[in-house]
């Protein structure tokens, strides 16, 4: 379930009374004694101030210090109480304890501190305040460190006065008196209260869902580390390990209201040490609530909510943060939960009078069914919004990628309009009018996805930055009829299992890959020894470019991108059709039965009528009667499907073009065909690549000519034997000669600039890498394509860095052992 709602309701804060550490735990004092009474709360019997059930009021032990000044520089007297008492009595008679502190003194007390260093071993206040506090991860804070950090607060929680000391003035020796010392906690407390209605109705679908109070409640980004002083810490690499979340579902109690239509849930408190953060940071504290809803038609759905504190940028010591929420709609998934926020209460934990956020807030929610909307070849879209208030919206940005210049640009605001609708029945929506330009000859021709970022808010709070109201973001992704995407190649290119290395023997003669000869078959040369060569060093599949030679230029055909072309509609004027341009394999596989040798080299069917044994790259052949025999190591595995020669005017619905790393020059047609069968790049494995159709080359070239994409099938050169014109092989022995071919009057089947060398050269197997016509030289290149519409657009991670095992184009189909062992079937 996608994101469903953003909602928060705040109830009136209940009046909060105070609780004491103990009701009364003072020993009888003698006349003249000075008694110090430790108090962590003023009154009794109120959980919110300090709940004894959670150890919030427990004083296990404390250390006390008298200093001569408020800065705590000169120690007068110190000691410890370890018996759990909350009083401390001094004899004020002359010569007694009071002699050490009879002048004006300043008392500092720290309770419940435990660590490697004991406060009583220090004589300076600053050293004590700097002592670290650390609880075990996700522990419930069972031993709260407290000290005499006292402060008063004014409007909006602003601190007016604070001190770490209790000032004690001298009085008459015989006077008996008691001084009350108030302690505050270093940690902060969070209280979450949840109201759950019996049922909710989803307005857009009219479905009724019924609640289930079997909840899972987490709090994220609590901090288990602090100093005694309570300085706030940010989430950094140094403090990362101290942030945690309560991993288990937190305990709670649930009580139905008098009418029975709402259940009130009170969670046990959460705790954190002080921290600061920015809104939306990884360290921002928030609640996760998981709850099941049930519908009579769709059954039970597990939903999740995220509850944050709007405007909160810090968690302070000894503060109580109270959040009241109502789950008045369905939640989202655990990965895409409904976001909820609203006002909340912050109070002193010691004296919990609300200091901010007090009052009643009307129920407020805002949500959209999807946070990303996809639009395909449409000029407008309307998106429904569920909201408690009338909505407003604006387009924050509208961008697309200019592939010709390889940059993201804003589209003109004149190209789109945005309107909102709010009716009396509580229906809300926005409509984005965004007409596409589908004329390839226009400068504004849409050949890339347009991404609109729409910000939605509510009319009474607006959508300006810093607003306290709810806002949401919807991304509208508009795709034209044909569009391009690209990704940068990692430069890991293999041809027939060979990859560029400086010392590779396959790169003599300009980094040329030498492959097994595809047409030896029965004509294998039988040497006197009886061994025959199975490959020919003259059979070049073209080069694997040295990645160091690639400069990355956009318009000199050395950029590193793999471009994918998606086509849903072709212009009628082209006469091309959409479809699968690949041939169907026959019983032996197309072109004499490609198969995948275990050593990763391109192989074809072996010797007919011969028994063959292998030694290195040589094979010993002897006559054999019966059917064709295939060596065990070279069993056919997967059938390769090259481009059909009967579908030359067909364009695949989506295909990827090899980067400049795979662009090979001076390749004969036969070898260009084999090269594509054995080509692999950036995780797109061998056996899935093929030669493009002439229609696919022309389609891409037209986009380049209109400056919508860099030239991928360029036509440079001068036409001389040393600087030949550039041409490209298409399936069926057709060469595309580009603009130079058009000017020279070449045409094939109505396609200007193309020529069928299959017609001019009867033996297609020996069509050369250079074509000469009317004294002009054309050097024919190869650039393969990959059918993403069939294989998918994602590369295979296992083959991004190594030669692939899918050479013959297996897509997960399982072939029978009969086929594996005998491709004659």
């Amino acid at each position: 379930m996608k994101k469903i709602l953003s909602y928060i309701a705040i109830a009136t804060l209940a009046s909060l009374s105070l609780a004491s550490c103990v009701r009364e735990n003072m020993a009888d004092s003698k006349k003249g004694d000075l008694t110090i009474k430790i108090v962590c709360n003023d009154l009794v019997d109120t959980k919110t101030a300090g709940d004894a059930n959670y150890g919030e009021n427990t004083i296990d032990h404390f250390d006390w210090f008298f200093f001569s000044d408020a800065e705590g520089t000169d120690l007068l007297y110190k000691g410890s109480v370890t018996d759990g008492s909350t009083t401390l009595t001094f004899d004020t008679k002359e010569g007694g304890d009071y002699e050490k502190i009879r002048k004006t003194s300043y008392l500092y007390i720290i309770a419940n501190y435990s660590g490697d260093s004991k406060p009583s071993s220090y004589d300076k206040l600053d050293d004590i305040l700097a002592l670290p506090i650390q609880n075990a991860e996700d522990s419930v804070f069972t031993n709260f460190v407290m000290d005499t950090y006292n402060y008063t607060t004014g409007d909006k929680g602003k601190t007016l006065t604070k001190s770490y000391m209790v000032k004690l003035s001298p009085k008459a020796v015989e006077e008996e008196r008691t001084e009350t010392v108030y302690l505050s906690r270093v940690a902060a407390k969070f209280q979450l209260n949840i109201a759950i209605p019996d049922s909710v109705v989803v307005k857009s679908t009219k479905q009724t869902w019924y609640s289930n109070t079997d909840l899972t409640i987490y709090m994220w980004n609590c901090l288990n580390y602090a100093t005694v002083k309570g300085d706030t810490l940010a989430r950094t690499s140094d403090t990362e390990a101290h942030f945690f979340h309560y991993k288990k579902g937190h305990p709670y109690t649930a009580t139905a209201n008098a009418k029975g239509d709402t259940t009130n849930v009170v969670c046990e408190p959460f705790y954190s040490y002080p921290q600061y953060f920015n809104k939306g940071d990884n360290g921002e504290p928030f609640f996760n609530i998981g709850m099941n809803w049930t519908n009579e038609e769709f059954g039970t759905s597990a939903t999740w909510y995220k509850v944050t504190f709007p405007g909160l940028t810090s968690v302070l010591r000894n503060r109580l943060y109270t959040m009241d929420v109502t789950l008045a709609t369905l939640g989202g998934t655990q990965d895409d939960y409904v976001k909820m926020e609203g006002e909340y209460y912050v109070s002193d934990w010691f004296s919990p009078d609300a200091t901010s956020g007090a009052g009643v807030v009307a129920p407020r929610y805002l949500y959209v069914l999807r946070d990303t909307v996809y639009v395909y070849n449409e000029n407008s879209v309307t998106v429904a919004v569920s909201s408690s208030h009338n909505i407003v919206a604006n387009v924050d940005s509208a961008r697309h990628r200019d592939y010709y210049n390889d940059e993201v640009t804003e589209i003109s605001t004149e190209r789109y309009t945005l309107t909102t609708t709010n009716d009396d029945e509580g229906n809300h929506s926005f409509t984005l009018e965004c007409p596409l330009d589908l004329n390839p000859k226009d400068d504004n021709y849409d050949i890339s996805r347009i991404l609109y970022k729409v910000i939605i808010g509510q009319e009474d709070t607006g959508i300006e930055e810093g607003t306290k109201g709810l806002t949401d973001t919807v991304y509208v992704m508009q795709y034209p009829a044909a569009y391009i995407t690209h990704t940068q190649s990692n430069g890991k290119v293999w041809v027939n299992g060979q990859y560029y290395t400086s010392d590779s023997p396959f790169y003599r003669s300009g980094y040329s890959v030498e492959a097994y000869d595809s047409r030896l078959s029965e004509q294998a040369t039988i040497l006197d020894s009886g061994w025959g060569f199975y490959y020919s060093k003259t059979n070049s599949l073209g080069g694997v470019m040295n990645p160091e030679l690639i400069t990355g230029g956009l318009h000199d055909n050395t950029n590193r991108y793999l471009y994918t072309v998606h086509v849903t509609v072709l212009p009628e004027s082209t006469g091309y059709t959409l479809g699968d341009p690949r041939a169907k394999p026959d019983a032996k596989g197309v072109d004499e039965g490609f198969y995948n040798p275990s050593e990763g080299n391109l192989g074809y069917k072996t010797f007919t009528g011969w028994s063959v044994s292998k030694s290195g790259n040589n094979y010993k052949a002897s006559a054999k009667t019966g059917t064709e025999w295939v060596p065990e190591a070279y069993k056919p595995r997967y059938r390769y499907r090259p481009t059909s020669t009967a579908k030359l005017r067909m364009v695949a619905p989506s295909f990827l073009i090899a980067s400049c790393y795979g662009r090979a020059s001076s390749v004969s047609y036969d070898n260009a065909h084999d090269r594509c069968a054995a080509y692999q790049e950036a995780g797109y494995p061998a056996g899935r690549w093929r030669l493009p159709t002439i229609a696919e080359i022309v389609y891409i070239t037209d986009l380049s000519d209109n400056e919508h994409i860099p030239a991928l099938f360029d036509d440079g050169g001068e036409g001389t034997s040393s600087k030949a014109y550039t041409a490209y092989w298409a399936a069926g022995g057709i060469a595309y000669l580009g603009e130079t071919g058009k000017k020279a009057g070449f045409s094939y089947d109505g396609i200007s600039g193309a020529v069928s060398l299959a017609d001019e050269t009867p033996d297609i197997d020996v069509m050369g890498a250079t074509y000469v016509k009317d004294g002009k030289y054309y050097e024919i290149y190869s650039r393969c394509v990959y059918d993403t519409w069939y294989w998918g657009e994602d590369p295979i991670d296992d083959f991004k860095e190594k030669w692939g095992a899918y050479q013959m184009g297996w897509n997960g189909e399982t072939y029978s052992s009969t086929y594996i062992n005998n491709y004659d079937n």
Side-chain angles (χ1 to χ4, degrees), residues 15-297:
S15 58
L16 302 173
S17 58
L18 303 174
S20 65
C21 300
V22 292
R23 295 172 182 263
E24 185 64 41
N25 190 21
M26 284 184 55
D28 293 335
S29 58
K30 301 177 181 178
K31 184 174 177 60
D33 288 350
L34 168 65
T35 299
I36 304 297
K37 176 185 177 183
I38 299 175
V39 176
C40 52
N41 294 301
D42 231 3
L43 301 176
V44 294
D45 295 336
T46 302
K47 280 189 175 183
T48 52
D51 194 332
N53 293 329
Y54 308 121
E56 296 175 6
N57 300 336
T58 300
I59 302 295
D60 180 69
H61 62 276
F62 65 90
D63 300 281
W64 50 268
F65 305 83
F66 287 92
F67 293 99
S68 61
D69 55 33
E71 285 69 38
T73 53
D74 295 323
L75 179 69
L76 300 177
Y77 198 19
K78 67 179 179 180
S80 301
V81 175
T82 60
D83 61 0
S85 174
T86 56
T87 62
L88 179 63
T89 301
F90 296 96
D91 183 0
T92 60
K93 298 182 176 66
E94 290 196 27
D97 298 327
Y98 192 61
E99 286 292 323
K100 301 173 183 177
I101 53 173
R102 61 185 310 150
K103 296 181 179 180
T104 297
S105 58
Y106 295 80
L107 174 62
Y108 173 78
I109 293 178
I110 176 172
N112 296 338
Y113 183 85
S114 60
D116 295 335
S117 299
K118 303 300 182 184
S120 58
S121 63
Y122 293 92
D123 294 338
K124 302 287 187 184
L125 178 62
D126 286 345
D127 293 337
I128 301 171
L129 296 176
L131 288 173
I133 306 170
Q134 183 169 358
N135 290 61
E137 180 181 323
D138 76 5
S139 70
V140 178
F141 289 51
T142 56
N143 192 20
F144 292 89
V145 178
M146 312 176 198
D147 69 355
T148 51
Y149 181 103
N150 296 310
Y151 53 87
T152 59
T153 56
D155 293 340
K156 299 180 180 179
K158 182 178 180 181
T159 299
L160 301 180
T161 62
K162 65 179 180 180
S163 70
Y164 294 98
M165 302 289 210
V166 177
K167 183 177 180 180
L168 299 174
S169 301
K171 293 189 178 181
V173 172
E174 69 276 4
E175 182 180 352
E176 175 187 322
R177 70 185 192 279
T178 297
E179 296 283 352
T180 301
V181 174
Y182 297 96
L183 301 185
S184 65
R185 301 166 186 86
V186 179
K189 177 179 179 178
F190 293 85
Q191 182 66 54
L192 176 63
N193 305 315
I194 309 169
I196 304 173
D198 178 63
S199 63
V200 296
V201 177
V202 179
K203 187 172 291 187
S204 60
T205 62
K206 310 302 183 185
Q207 298 168 353
T208 300
W209 292 79
Y210 297 93
S211 61
N212 181 332
T213 55
D214 183 12
L215 304 179
T216 301
I217 304 166
Y218 299 152
M219 184 171 180
W220 290 74
N221 295 328
C222 297
L223 180 62
N224 68 3
Y225 178 85
T227 61
V228 172
K229 185 178 180 180
D231 291 325
T232 55
L233 298 177
R235 189 168 193 152
T236 66
S237 57
D238 293 333
T239 62
E240 177 76 25
H242 298 298
F243 283 85
F244 72 97
H245 67 278
Y246 289 82
K247 294 180 180 178
K248 298 179 180 178
H250 216 54
Y252 59 90
T253 57
T255 307
N257 70 354
K259 295 181 180 179
D261 55 5
T262 302
T263 299
N264 297 315
V265 172
V266 178
C267 300
E268 290 190 5
F270 300 84
Y271 305 97
S272 174
Y273 283 122
Q275 56 173 296
Y276 69 90
F277 42 86
N278 294 318
K279 190 67 176 172
D281 278 357
N282 287 337
E284 179 186 8
F286 63 89
F287 298 110
N288 258 165
I289 304 172
M291 190 181 77
N292 291 340
W293 293 87
T294 301
N295 174 266
E296 292 179 356
E297 179 180 357

Side-chain angles (χ1 to χ4, degrees), residues 697-814:
I697 291 179
V698 174
Y699 184 82
I700 294 299
T701 303
D702 286 345
L703 293 177
S704 300
D705 292 343
N706 288 291
E707 298 187 352
H708 300 310
I709 189 174
L712 304 181
F713 297 95
D714 55 330
D715 57 355
E718 299 176 3
T720 64
S721 59
S722 60
K723 294 184 178 179
Y725 290 131
T726 301
Y728 283 87
W729 283 118
I734 299 172
Y736 184 67
L737 312 179
E739 286 299 316
T740 55
K742 293 178 183 178
K743 293 176 182 178
F746 289 107
S747 180
Y748 168 76
D749 195 21
I751 300 174
S752 179
V755 60
S756 173
L757 299 188
D759 294 338
E760 298 193 13
T761 308
D763 186 357
I764 194 172
D765 290 348
V766 297
M767 283 190 295
T770 303
Y771 176 61
V772 183
K773 185 75 171 181
D774 298 332
K776 299 296 183 181
Y777 288 77
Y778 299 86
E779 185 178 13
I780 310 179
Y781 284 65
S782 170
R783 197 161 191 164
C784 309
V785 297
Y786 181 99
D787 287 296
T788 52
W789 68 271
Y790 182 80
W791 302 109
E793 295 194 28
D794 295 328
I796 298 175
D797 290 338
D798 289 346
F799 304 135
K800 288 181 179 178
E801 302 289 336
K802 66 180 181 181
W803 172 244
Y806 290 2
Q807 182 178 348
M808 289 304 108
W810 182 52
N811 71 342
E813 300 173 25
T814 301

Side-chain angles (χ1 to χ4, degrees), residues 302-445:
T303 70
W304 287 87
Y305 306 83
K306 177 181 179 179
V307 183
T308 58
F309 296 83
L312 188 68
T313 57
S314 63
V315 172
L316 303 179
R317 59 170 290 160
N318 202 61
R319 297 295 175 90
L320 171 62
Y321 298 84
T322 302
M323 177 69 79
D324 294 351
V325 298
T326 299
L327 305 185
T329 187
L330 295 182
T333 66
Q334 194 164 11
D335 295 325
D336 188 17
Y337 27 60
V338 163
K339 298 175 183 177
M340 307 174 67
E341 62 178 22
E343 293 187 16
Y344 55 93
Y345 302 101
V346 182
S347 56
D348 292 341
W349 190 352
F350 167 75
S351 178
D353 296 320
T355 57
S356 65
V360 177
V361 179
R364 182 179 291 273
Y365 59 90
L366 173 71
Y367 72 95
V368 290
L369 185 62
R370 302 178 188 89
D371 52 13
T372 303
V373 177
Y374 297 90
V375 183
Y376 294 96
N377 200 24
E378 296 288 343
N379 292 320
S380 66
V381 61
T382 297
V383 179
V385 180
S386 291
S387 177
S388 57
H389 296 65
N390 286 346
I391 65 166
V392 291
N394 76 286
V395 176
D396 184 73
S397 61
R399 299 173 181 171
H400 71 158
R401 180 171 288 277
D402 174 357
Y403 285 101
Y404 187 75
N405 296 304
D406 193 31
E407 60 184 12
V408 176
T409 61
E410 290 279 343
I411 68 171
S412 170
T413 56
E414 297 178 355
R415 293 193 57 190
Y416 60 84
T417 58
L418 183 73
T419 56
T420 57
T421 300
N422 301 287
D423 65 24
D424 294 338
E425 296 181 359
N427 297 308
H428 312 279
S429 63
F430 70 83
T431 299
L432 179 65
E433 297 280 350
C434 40
L436 291 165
D437 186 339
L438 301 181
N439 184 354
K441 298 189 180 301
D442 288 349
D443 291 340
N444 292 325
Y445 173 56

